[in-house]
Amino acid sequence: MRTALCPGFLNLHLRHCYLRMEEDTDFRIRFSSLGFITDHVGFRGTIKSSPSDFVVIEIDEQGQLVNKSTSGLISKVLPEPNNFAKKTKLDFQNKSCQEGSNQEVSTFTKCSDDDQNHRSGSEKEDTVNDGTSTGEEQVHVLGNLLDEKTNDLLTHFAFDIKEKWNSKTELIGSSPEFSLGRILDKNQRAILHSAVRQKFPFLITVGKNSEIVVKPNLEYKELCHLVSEEEALDFFKYLDAKKENSKFTFKPDMNKDHRKAVHHFVNKKFGNLVETKSFPELNYNAANPNIAITVRFREKKHKHRKRSLFECRDQKVIYTAFTLRKENLEMFEALGFLAIKLGVIPSDFSYAGLKDKKAITYQAMVVRKVSPERLKNIEKEIEKKRMNVFNIRSVDDSLRLGQLKGNHFDIIIRNVRNQINDSTNLRERILEAIENVKNKGFVNYYGPQRFGMGRKVHTDQIGLALLKSEMVKAVKLFLTPEDLDDPVNRAKKYFLQTEDAKGTLSLMPEFKVRERALLESLHRFGMTEEGCIQAWFSFPHSMRIFYIHAYSSKIWNEAVSYRLSTYGSRVVEGDLVCLDEDIDDEHFPSSKVHLVTEEEESASTYAIHQVVLPVLGYNIQYPKNKVGQWYQDTLSRDGLQTCRFKVPTLKLNVPGCYRQILKHPHNVSYQLMEEHDTDVKTEGSHIDEATLSLQISFDLDASCYATVCLREIMKHDF
């Protein structure tokens, strides 16, 4: 059954949705230009009169509230097959060596975050023999991890790639991909990454939000132009195994220019991992100088560089999970304070989602390199900052963004009253509004807190500058003051006038952790383009990419407004729909997204709640109708027509995702109360002896905003 779109929505957007929002000086102006999907009148009221009026409790992947759960880490662990090859050395490879980007790319040049560092395998038996897995064992592992159909499709994909290469047929368009699906357990992903690469060294594996995607290894193809295919296969297996003190030797080669080309290729592609040298054969003859190139892994000379996988094996990383309760405190500020007290850095903390500032929030956290005992020791000290930690226990791994089922909200709306010129019974209005949104849902906008509450600068503007690699501009936007006379804004004003980072540091209050970290880097590296790049690295990866996501979120809000004002609740040709009814987050593969055909539009095959729109990134498709053109026009407007949504200088990769345009609240309950003794003032001259408050509780899926749901219920911008 379809949801009717209210006529007022269209009128509202004909007036507002095409306005250039970048020029807005107040997020309220920007947000009030967005529309509604329901047609009830609503009511007025005040939210967040105090933090205790807005309580947010994270729901873990098992559906448990984290303020009550005392069980293990909230993660799904796939059962380990009983017959995994015992020789496969994977016991230590889930230990991340460094915080990194959301995209996991299995290359041979670095050990980075999530699945990037999961590389193991076998070397040539005549070079190394320490019990690493054989090719047959990797085939066995693939058979255990993948269902028969996926395994067969992977094999066909691999053979198809080789066939095209052997026939000299160029791969047309973008590089072909094959998805193995989502693997939630990190150890399982590590095994699968390695098994695929060992069986098919001419392929690479890429991780995207727990999904493993297989692609052609173009570096393998390039090497095959220089050496035999057998040598290329063995070389990439050698690299993948990363066996300490091992060597790999190419076949002897009389041609000096050819050897030079091989040297150049290996050093250009993998120079930070290996080094090459040429040695004459044992039966060297000056008249017939056969010389072979030998490759070996570089020694780890710097103590403070990333630990090798072998060090990770010998020294297991400690992970401690806990529930964080905070009150009226920004999450990044809370993490900065915890990091100082524990002697770690903010990027050592992982979490499933961001939480409101003006609220009491409960969320799951994991911190690296801190024992449970050490965390318990600071409990009393952090209470002064309106924080508490509990459910403290040891776990095996960190959390990732999106690793939650949703959030539970307990909210009190104060001073509830009718809309202006509405004389209908207030209780009837409230009942009508709540039931309407329960049944029809709400437009799934990103909430205003996604963009910051400043009037001068919003987080999405900083994100746009970062996407355009305007690093100096991004720093200045971040340090732009509001029209307030307080120590923080006085310090910011001083910096923009002088660019004196050291002087600004002396003015910036200690509790502004992010601002001080940025200023300390600017003092060290200078206010140059390169200096500003270094300054952004004073923020953890999750914070750097937050600004990019804010820009993508702003564009998505505008896109859904345009979509609904253009087509209403009809599902039309060229729309994108999600084929999986059980999807409750944004991280589903493109294979679940379907482009609506003309025939399907005529047959009304799909309903509006199935429609999704892309959140900007390099791995999404756009609608094939007016909405798709709107995206292109908007990117051109913002100077991003050629943007690949990667910022290499900041190690940021944004694959993008899809977001449902409508969502529904779950487990809704509410109660209307009279308050006779309240400090909350009503608007207007008439004040009743008793004011009404509405207690409302509901659950929302991950990445949905309670303020957006309340806005739809109340028809009121806060």
Side-chain angles (χ1 to χ4, degrees):
M1 182 175 179
R2 294 197 175 185
T3 300
L5 188 71
C6 64
F9 186 98
L10 299 176
N11 295 333
L12 175 66
H13 281 79
L14 288 175
R15 295 196 304 270
H16 291 296
C17 95
Y18 310 114
L19 291 177
R20 176 74 180 272
M21 293 187 178
E22 188 176 299
E23 304 302 324
D24 293 344
T25 58
D26 188 337
F27 77 92
R28 293 174 185 82
I29 297 173
R30 175 188 303 195
F31 212 69
S32 65
S33 68
L34 305 179
F36 305 98
I37 195 69
T38 53
D39 56 2
H40 59 266
V41 174
F43 54 92
R44 293 186 295 162
T46 303
I47 65 169
K48 297 190 177 182
S49 297
S50 69
S52 60
D53 283 355
F54 204 93
V55 179
V56 187
I57 307 171
E58 202 166 83
I59 305 171
D60 68 24
E61 288 190 316
Q62 281 70 49
Q64 300 295 315
L65 298 175
V66 300
N67 66 331
K68 297 177 182 177
S69 174
T70 56
S71 57
L73 174 65
I74 51 170
S75 63
K76 292 182 180 176
V77 180
L78 297 178
E80 182 176 351
N82 295 325
N83 50 355
F84 272 164
K86 292 182 179 178
K87 293 181 181 179
T88 307
K89 300 198 304 178
L90 293 162
D91 56 323
F92 59 90
Q93 289 193 337
N94 63 325
K95 304 300 181 283
S96 176
C97 294
Q98 180 176 308
E99 193 83 344
S101 71
N102 279 351
Q103 186 192 20
E104 319 148 5
V105 181
S106 296
T107 64
F108 303 102
T109 57
K110 54 191 174 184
C111 172
S112 188
D113 116 286
D114 212 357
D115 286 335
Q116 276 183 312
N117 57 327
H118 302 320
R119 308 190 52 78
S120 76
S122 63
E123 297 186 70
K124 293 177 68 175
E125 289 185 58
D126 59 350
T127 308
V128 177
N129 185 7
D130 70 334
T132 53
S133 57
T134 66
E136 291 180 359
E137 287 171 336
Q138 295 295 351
V139 173
H140 189 57
V141 169
L142 284 175
N144 280 320
L145 279 176
L146 301 176
D147 59 73
E148 185 177 354
K149 180 180 179 182
T150 305
N151 208 346
D152 289 343
L153 289 172
L154 171 63
T155 303
H156 285 306
F157 175 80
F159 288 163
D160 188 51
I161 295 296
K162 286 296 293 293
E163 187 178 346
K164 283 185 169 61
W165 283 353
N166 293 337
S167 65
K168 310 299 182 185
T169 302
E170 289 299 321
L171 300 174
I172 306 300
S174 57
S175 180
E177 297 181 356
F178 176 72
S179 174
L180 301 179
R182 289 187 72 186
I183 310 295
L184 294 180
D185 183 75
K186 199 169 187 178
N187 291 327
Q188 302 268 349
R189 291 202 303 271
I191 296 169
L192 197 50
H193 275 297
S194 180
V196 171
R197 294 189 307 265
Q198 286 292 312
K199 184 179 179 184
F200 306 111
F202 52 89
L203 302 178
I204 59 171
T205 54
V206 179
K208 305 172 185 176
N209 299 317
S210 301
E211 179 191 7
I212 296 181
V213 175
V214 183
K215 299 180 178 182
N217 184 350
L218 299 181
E219 291 168 344
Y220 170 90
K221 183 183 179 185
E222 188 175 346
L223 182 59
C224 284
H225 292 309
L226 297 173
V227 300
S228 68
E229 184 171 345
E230 179 188 3
E231 288 177 281
L233 280 168
D234 289 341
F235 174 71
F236 277 97
K237 285 186 178 182
Y238 162 77
L239 281 181
D240 191 58
K242 281 196 176 76
K243 180 67 177 77
E244 196 171 27
N245 298 322
S246 63
K247 297 178 181 179
F248 175 86
T249 301
F250 288 100
K251 291 178 180 178
D253 188 353
M254 295 176 56
N255 189 321
K256 183 177 180 180
D257 289 336
H258 185 260
R259 292 197 308 270
K260 186 176 179 180
V262 175
H263 275 294
H264 179 74
F265 172 84
V266 174
N267 286 298
K268 179 183 177 182
K269 300 293 185 181
F270 316 111
N272 64 335
L273 183 66
V274 297
E275 57 187 351
T276 61
K277 287 188 178 180
S278 293
F279 295 96
E281 282 190 288
L282 292 177
N283 56 348
Y284 175 76
N285 185 330
N288 188 21
N290 265 357
I291 296 176
I293 298 174
T294 295
V295 183
R296 67 180 181 183
F297 289 103
R298 293 185 181 276
E299 294 180 6
K300 304 288 183 180
K301 296 182 179 180
H302 304 290
K303 293 181 180 179
H304 301 295
R305 296 283 292 275
K306 293 172 282 188
R307 294 192 308 277
S308 70
L309 292 177
F310 306 97
E311 293 172 306
C312 290
R313 174 179 57 180
D314 296 334
Q315 184 179 354
K316 184 179 179 182
V317 178
I318 298 172
Y319 293 93
T320 296
F322 60 97
T323 296
L324 172 67
R325 179 196 185 274
K326 62 179 182 66
E327 179 177 343
N328 201 29
L329 196 63
E330 190 183 54
M331 200 186 82
F332 291 127
E333 185 180 338
L335 292 185
F337 185 79
L338 286 172
I340 291 171
K341 294 301 176 185
L342 293 169
V344 295
I345 57 177
S347 60
D348 285 321
F349 291 87
S350 57
Y351 43 85
L354 304 178
K355 297 291 177 280
D356 298 73
K357 175 185 177 182
K358 194 172 182 181
I360 295 175
T361 66
Y362 298 83
Q363 65 189 117
M365 287 266 179
V366 173
V367 59
R368 293 190 304 168
K369 300 179 288 189
V370 174
S371 67
E373 293 71 27
R374 190 166 155 209
L375 183 58
K376 289 175 183 176
N377 287 339
I378 68 166
E379 284 181 288
K380 295 293 184 185
E381 198 169 355
I382 65 175
E383 286 178 3
K384 302 171 186 175
K385 289 286 288 183
R386 305 179 303 282
M387 286 190 287
N388 303 95
V389 291
F390 55 98
N391 287 346
I392 301 170
R393 71 267 186 209
S394 293
V395 292
D396 295 328
D397 208 348
S398 56
L399 281 167
R400 68 178 189 278
L401 283 172
Q403 193 176 345
L404 73 165
K405 187 176 180 66
N407 292 284
H408 172 78
F409 297 89
D410 293 315
I411 297 169
I412 299 178
I413 305 171
R414 306 281 182 184
N415 192 23
V416 177
R417 57 206 185 279
N418 286 87
Q419 300 280 21
I420 297 172
N421 298 325
D422 178 28
S423 58
T424 303
N425 181 276
L426 180 58
R427 285 177 171 79
E428 292 179 9
R429 282 289 186 231
I430 293 171
L431 176 64
E432 171 194 45
I434 294 174
E435 291 301 318
N436 212 8
V437 172
K438 277 174 61 177
N439 295 326
K440 296 181 180 179
F442 59 93
V443 186
N444 192 24
Y445 293 118
Y446 289 97
Q449 58 268 50
R450 184 84 165 190
F451 312 106
M453 297 301 182
R455 293 173 178 269
K456 287 283 189 72
V457 173
H458 304 292
T459 54
D460 59 90
Q461 292 170 279
I462 299 172
L464 176 58
L466 292 177
L467 280 172
K468 297 167 78 171
S469 294
E470 296 173 343
M471 300 302 169
V472 175
K473 180 180 179 180
V475 165
K476 289 183 176 179
L477 285 170
F478 179 79
L479 292 172
T480 296
E482 296 292 329
D483 292 328
L484 298 170
D485 188 23
D486 58 55
V488 173
N489 285 293
R490 284 197 293 270
K492 288 181 176 181
K493 185 176 181 181
Y494 174 80
F495 178 80
L496 289 191
Q497 291 173 341
T498 65
E499 295 189 1
D500 174 14
K502 184 177 181 180
T504 308
L505 267 171
S506 66
L507 299 173
M508 187 64 69
E510 291 288 336
F511 71 88
K512 300 304 287 184
V513 178
R514 282 182 294 171
E515 286 80 356
R516 292 187 62 83
L518 193 80
L519 289 165
E520 285 170 0
S521 291
L522 292 174
H523 173 52
R524 179 180 177 187
F525 297 107
M527 190 61 184
T528 62
E529 192 75 14
E530 182 59 33
C532 288
I533 290 172
Q534 295 299 323
W536 282 110
F537 274 106
S538 67
F539 289 4
H541 174 270
S542 58
M543 197 180 302
R544 296 197 303 276
I545 205 163
F546 167 78
Y547 294 103
I548 306 277
H549 288 163
Y551 173 77
S552 299
S553 302
K554 174 213 171 190
I555 298 304
W556 192 92
N557 276 4
E558 294 183 33
V560 72
S561 293
Y562 178 81
R563 162 63 182 79
L564 291 171
S565 66
T566 303
Y567 296 119
S569 60
R570 294 184 301 121
V571 180
V572 301
E573 181 183 2
D575 271 338
L576 299 174
V577 294
C578 178
L579 297 177
D580 191 338
E581 292 285 347
D582 297 325
I583 291 293
D584 58 4
D585 63 18
E586 299 176 356
H587 303 294
F588 51 90
S590 296
S591 60
K592 299 286 186 183
V593 176
H594 170 71
L595 198 66
V596 176
T597 65
E598 182 180 0
E599 293 75 20
E600 289 168 336
E601 177 187 352
S602 300
S604 299
T605 306
Y606 301 104
I608 187 66
H609 73 272
Q610 294 174 279
V611 175
V612 298
L613 285 178
V615 181
L616 296 176
Y618 60 78
N619 196 35
I620 50 98
Q621 62 172 318
Y622 294 102
K624 300 291 186 182
N625 50 32
K626 291 180 180 179
V627 181
Q629 186 58 49
W630 180 92
Y631 271 100
Q632 301 305 323
D633 293 344
T634 301
L635 291 176
S636 296
R637 175 198 77 185
D638 288 345
L640 297 177
Q641 57 268 39
T642 60
C643 180
R644 298 180 60 198
F645 291 94
K646 297 182 180 182
V647 188
T649 52
L650 295 184
K651 297 184 178 178
L652 298 178
N653 295 313
V654 187
C657 58
Y658 300 92
R659 183 176 175 89
Q660 292 170 296
I661 68 174
L662 295 184
K663 280 288 188 178
H664 289 76
H666 312 293
N667 303 319
V668 181
S669 63
Y670 54 93
Q671 180 182 0
L672 200 59
M673 305 180 303
E674 287 188 355
E675 292 186 307
H676 293 275
D677 184 17
T678 179
D679 294 329
V680 180
K681 296 179 180 178
T682 59
E683 295 178 9
S685 57
H686 180 69
I687 301 178
D688 293 331
E689 291 183 2
T691 58
L692 292 177
S693 292
L694 176 66
Q695 281 187 333
I696 185 168
S697 299
F698 51 82
D699 299 341
L700 293 178
D701 293 337
S703 194
C704 293
Y705 290 79
T707 47
V708 173
C709 180
L710 290 176
R711 177 180 178 272
E712 186 83 44
I713 291 172
M714 299 170 65
K715 294 293 189 288
H716 176 57
D717 288 306
F718 305 108

